[in-house]
Amino acid sequence: MTQADTRELRYFIAVAEERHFARAAARLGIAQPPLTRTIQKLERGMGVRLLERDSRGVRLTEAGTVLLREGRVALERVGAATRRAQRAGRTPATLVLAVKPGGDGGLLTEILAAHAAEPDAPDVDIVCVGAGEQAAAVRDGRADVALLHRPDADLTGLDREDLLVESQVALLPPHHRLSGHARIRVADLEDDPLPRWPDTAGELSGAGIREAGRLMQLILVGRLIAVGPESVRRYAWDGVACVPVVDAAPTTLALAWPEDSRSRAVSAFARVATAVASRHRDATVHEPGP
Amino acid sequence: MTQADTRELRYFIAVAEERHFARAAARLGIAQPPLTRTIQKLERGMGVRLLERDSRGVRLTEAGTVLLREGRVALERVGAATRRAQRAGRTPATLVLAVKPGGDGGLLTEILAAHAAEPDAPDVDIVCVGAGEQAAAVRDGRADVALLHRPDADLTGLDREDLLVESQVALLPPHHRLSGHARIRVADLEDDPLPRWPDTAGELSGAGIREAGRLMQLILVGRLIAVGPESVRRYAWDGVACVPVVDAAPTTLALAWPEDSRSRAVSAFARVATAVASRHRDATVHEPGP
DNA sequence: CTGGGTCATACCCCGAAGGTATCAGCGGTG
DNA sequence: CACCGCTGATACCTTCGGGGTATGACCCAG
């Protein structure tokens, strides 16, 4: 025996993450002794020491570090496989699209309409996920395709089609020193006293915000500034200033799907989406907005 | 319960591939009834019908088709995770490189020497695999990196670094009508009566050849012609003609590794390999061969 | 109708996953 | 130093489910 099974992997990951058998057991909903035994059996089966234990806890060996990293993605693939199969079995056929609220570049309604007009197009289910989770949703099988922004999103394991290049705007509180400006530069924000979303590192206020309303709220009360693609304009609350950041690297709205799943439904959707996007590009070129 | 475990997946894949419970059971080394029960339990757990059975066999449902495809890669990931962890635990650290015999573009010895000269470089194990299997070896965790040729190899799930662009040569039997030519074109081979490797479709003689000696043998006796990168010249048997194909799309020798595993050892090896390759490129530019 | 093929069901056995109680090491602290 | 409190490991029991054999239900060909 050498191939770990999912139970052993789940158990090992729990211990490796908690670095503590009893806590891991609690998290798994089992008692500590069987957990200890399972890990021992896993180590024996693999012929490798995964954890260094002593009386005050657990450390990962080199092999354990690798198995934690690799095991996570392996388990994710197993989960994705079952979820995708489950969805494929549900009738009628449905395409699940993951989007971040407000992260559609203003194209979504148009894309959906165009797609629905196609002959025998499957229904499209929309799943709203937190910022930055669209790719994960596709990877773990909750969704078939995602609308997301490059290069913010991590696209490992995904294929993509670019739809739209968007310049960036800063969202500023009403009385911010820059909120009156017609345009600003990245450097202007550099030494701003307010933390900046989305690259607020660590546990500063607003680090893990994944909901637009909460973000707007924090900006409005002057606790945060944010930078995002142009299309967020239409979701900005009244009072929040939207100022173009002229020299920020533009962000690209893209459609992404699992790299190995070239299903007909996904291809068709991608084709429609790119068509809509290119129409949209032409339109903005010919009749620029106010 | 919704997450299939590896045993269920393995069993399902066997049945789906054999399209026959008894044969699948034999392949798995178990009896047919427990296999039936396991599949039933899997279907119940997932809430989806995977197989359509009747008294003369098994067909896949839509969901079953998806699970077969996705389940295969999921299982592969699980196997890769355990194998990589096992190797990470073996001391001393070893880097495993997958190559096809003769598929190293003549760089391998030089790369190995340069790598060995690096401070605290891990030992390099060389694994020879059949043609076109290098990528699979990396994916399933048997190897850490691979030398392979683009675009022949399927690189899904892998990152790469290009080393060398090679033009293509045709390997022809001694008395072939084109073997005297100094150079030929793709069109010249178009309607050749002999089957051509590696794109011989189906089960024609020599379709699945993965060993250079056997290939040379078949060419020498006039049963096959082959097209490959320039560097195969040095492995061609005496009598086999090597004729440049001037308008064939060049092939690129690349180093590939798993897209998510950015281990220090792999990065270091890649750096050395690209350095050697670029030295090699410069050398051939400055003093072209005879 | 019978025979040979399919997958499903019935029933039994045993291994292993899970639980409880307890042990064994180690590090603080009075 | 003794003791407590924390860690993971061990012993022992129960139970559940994976595996086996025998057989059934069904379909098709002759």
Side-chain angles (χ1 to χ4, degrees):
Chain A
M1 179 281 219
T2 179
Q3 162 120 326
D5 82 355
T6 58
R7 190 184 63 98
E8 294 173 322
L9 273 185
R10 257 186 12 249
Y11 284 15
F12 169 74
I13 289 171
V15 176
E17 284 178 351
E18 300 286 348
R19 284 178 166 67
H20 195 283
F21 276 79
R23 273 201 303 275
R27 181 173 123 188
L28 292 166
I30 65 170
Q32 170 257 317
L35 180 56
T36 292
R37 262 183 289 130
T38 301
I39 301 293
Q40 287 172 335
K41 191 181 141 213
L42 175 62
E43 290 182 320
R44 241 178 309 120
M46 292 181 55
V48 170
R49 193 137 198 83
L50 299 169
L51 302 171
E52 216 57 71
R53 309 95 147 136
D54 64 17
S55 64
R56 73 187 157 291
V58 167
R59 281 178 313 285
L60 291 175
T61 63
E62 193 56 38
T65 310
V66 171
L67 189 63
L68 176 57
R69 177 161 43 80
E70 302 278 326
R72 277 189 185 127
V73 339
L75 270 194
E76 188 163 273
R77 292 307 291 231
V78 172
T82 70
R83 271 186 288 269
R84 293 215 182 95
Q86 284 175 323
R87 282 225 323 282
R90 310 255 176 258
T91 47
T94 303
L95 192 73
V96 179
L97 170 68
V99 295
K100 169 182 73 177
D104 66 335
L107 293 178
L108 188 50
T109 48
E110 215 174 321
I111 290 175
L112 290 178
H115 183 254
E118 291 280 302
D120 57 53
D123 290 348
V124 175
D125 261 20
I126 311 237
V127 176
C128 288
V129 298
E133 299 220 322
Q134 300 101 303
V138 170
R139 259 192 292 271
D140 75 10
R142 276 176 295 164
D144 299 298
V145 283
L147 272 176
L148 40 73
H149 283 279
R150 283 202 307 126
D152 309 288
D154 170 19
L155 290 180
T156 35
L158 306 182
D159 272 348
R160 63 157 215 281
E161 186 88 44
D162 290 340
L163 297 180
L164 205 59
V165 175
E166 297 191 68
S167 52
Q168 308 239 35
V169 298
L171 302 177
L172 305 172
H175 304 303
H176 191 273
R177 67 189 157 91
L178 297 170
S179 60
H181 290 52
R183 71 194 93 79
I184 60 178
R185 316 188 134 261
V186 175
D188 297 329
L189 295 169
E190 199 71 359
D191 44 2
D192 197 282
L194 293 176
R196 184 157 114 219
W197 190 92
D199 48 24
T200 309
E203 310 78 26
L204 287 155
S205 63
I209 297 185
R210 15 209 60 194
E211 202 254 315
R214 192 160 151 62
L215 191 66
M216 291 300 164
Q217 181 69 67
L218 286 171
I219 295 170
L220 200 57
V221 300
R223 307 294 291 274
L224 204 63
I225 63 180
V227 175
E230 178 116 36
S231 58
V232 304
R233 278 197 122 99
R234 79 194 66 199
Y235 305 97
W237 287 7
D238 202 28
V240 169
C242 297
V243 183
V245 184
V246 292
D247 60 345
T251 185
T252 303
L253 180 70
L255 193 70
W257 57 89
E259 155 176 273
D260 41 7
S261 125
R262 260 241 155 283
S263 83
R264 203 160 19 260
V266 167
S267 313
F269 189 82
R271 208 180 48 245
V272 169
T274 50
V276 168
S278 81
R279 256 208 322 269
H280 200 266
R281 277 197 300 275
D282 295 348
T284 50
V285 167
H286 296 146
E287 31 166 323
Chain B
M1 182 280 217
T2 179
Q3 163 120 324
D5 82 358
T6 59
R7 189 184 62 97
E8 294 172 322
L9 273 185
R10 255 184 17 249
Y11 284 15
F12 169 74
I13 289 172
V15 176
E17 284 179 352
E18 300 287 346
R19 285 180 166 67
H20 194 282
F21 275 80
R23 273 200 303 274
R27 183 172 122 190
L28 292 166
I30 64 171
Q32 169 256 316
L35 180 56
T36 293
R37 262 183 289 131
T38 300
I39 302 294
Q40 287 172 335
K41 191 181 141 212
L42 175 62
E43 289 181 321
R44 242 179 310 120
M46 293 182 55
V48 171
R49 193 138 197 83
L50 299 169
L51 302 170
E52 215 57 69
R53 307 98 145 137
D54 63 19
S55 64
R56 72 187 155 291
V58 167
R59 282 178 313 285
L60 290 175
T61 63
E62 191 57 36
T65 310
V66 171
L67 189 63
L68 175 57
R69 177 162 44 79
E70 302 278 326
R72 275 189 186 126
V73 340
L75 269 195
E76 186 162 274
R77 292 307 291 232
V78 172
T82 71
R83 272 185 289 268
R84 293 216 182 95
Q86 283 176 324
R87 282 224 323 281
R90 310 256 177 257
T91 46
T94 304
L95 192 72
V96 179
L97 170 68
V99 295
K100 168 181 72 176
D104 66 335
L107 293 178
L108 189 49
T109 49
E110 214 173 324
I111 290 175
L112 290 178
H115 183 254
E118 291 279 302
D120 56 54
D123 292 346
V124 175
D125 263 19
I126 310 237
V127 176
C128 288
V129 298
E133 298 219 323
Q134 300 101 302
V138 171
R139 260 191 291 270
D140 75 11
R142 276 175 296 163
D144 298 300
V145 282
L147 272 176
L148 41 73
H149 283 279
R150 287 202 305 127
D152 310 288
D154 171 20
L155 290 180
T156 37
L158 307 181
D159 272 348
R160 64 156 214 280
E161 186 88 42
D162 290 339
L163 297 182
L164 205 59
V165 174
E166 297 191 69
S167 52
Q168 308 239 33
V169 299
L171 301 176
L172 306 172
H175 303 302
H176 192 273
R177 67 189 158 89
L178 298 169
S179 59
H181 291 51
R183 69 194 96 80
I184 59 177
R185 319 188 132 261
V186 175
D188 297 330
L189 295 168
E190 198 73 359
D191 44 1
D192 197 282
L194 293 176
R196 184 158 115 220
W197 188 91
D199 48 25
T200 309
E203 311 79 26
L204 287 155
S205 63
I209 297 186
R210 14 210 61 192
E211 201 253 314
R214 191 160 152 60
L215 190 66
M216 290 301 163
Q217 182 67 70
L218 286 170
I219 295 171
L220 201 57
V221 301
R223 307 295 291 272
L224 204 63
I225 62 180
V227 176
E230 179 115 35
S231 56
V232 304
R233 278 198 122 100
R234 80 194 64 199
Y235 305 99
W237 288 8
D238 202 28
V240 169
C242 297
V243 183
V245 184
V246 292
D247 59 346
T251 184
T252 303
L253 180 71
L255 192 71
W257 58 87
E259 156 176 272
D260 40 8
S261 123
R262 259 237 158 285
S263 83
R264 202 160 22 260
V266 167
S267 312
F269 188 82
R271 208 181 46 244
V272 169
T274 49
V276 168
S278 82
R279 261 211 315 272
H280 201 266
R281 276 197 300 275
D282 295 348
T284 49
V285 166
H286 296 147
E287 29 166 324

